[in-house]
Amino acid sequence: MNPTAPNPAPETSETVTVEDEVSARAVLNRLRRAQGQLAGVITMVEEGRDCRDVVTQLAAVSRALDRAGFKIVAGRMRACLTAPEDGGTPAMNEAELEKLFLTLA
């Protein structure tokens, strides 16, 4: 073993796929968009804008966050139900997954 050689990356039980990376970028884009929308809502409140306009924009932020959450859950659903951890049971059973979905509802 060469002491000056860099340590190899730690092995994980889960391989990151291109699909996972694309999904993660999509979620991050949605969250950044929601962050920008929320900053806009804060500015609107500070400026004393009409409450209808503020509530409309706040609803848009809420929908953007919901979509990001659903994207995360949907992207992991198959893996959570089918990928066994430690060679045993699925990472998440149907009841747990349903509960996770309902937290977003």
Side-chain angles (χ1 to χ4, degrees), residues 39-84:
V41 170
I42 291 169
T43 299
M44 291 173 76
V45 170
E46 290 172 342
E47 293 173 350
R49 298 275 299 271
D50 182 70
C51 68
R52 287 176 291 226
D53 295 337
V54 172
V55 170
T56 299
Q57 289 304 310
L58 196 53
V61 172
S62 180
R63 283 190 304 273
L65 291 173
D66 287 345
R67 287 184 184 130
F70 286 128
K71 179 77 172 166
I72 291 168
V73 172
R76 298 298 302 158
M77 184 186 318
R78 184 172 35 86
C80 288
L81 288 173
T82 60

Side-chain angles (χ1 to χ4, degrees), residues 13-14 76 79-80 82-92:
S13 62
E14 190 173 316
R76 298 298 302 158
C80 288
T82 60
E85 290 183 354
D86 302 321
T89 60
M92 203 178 273

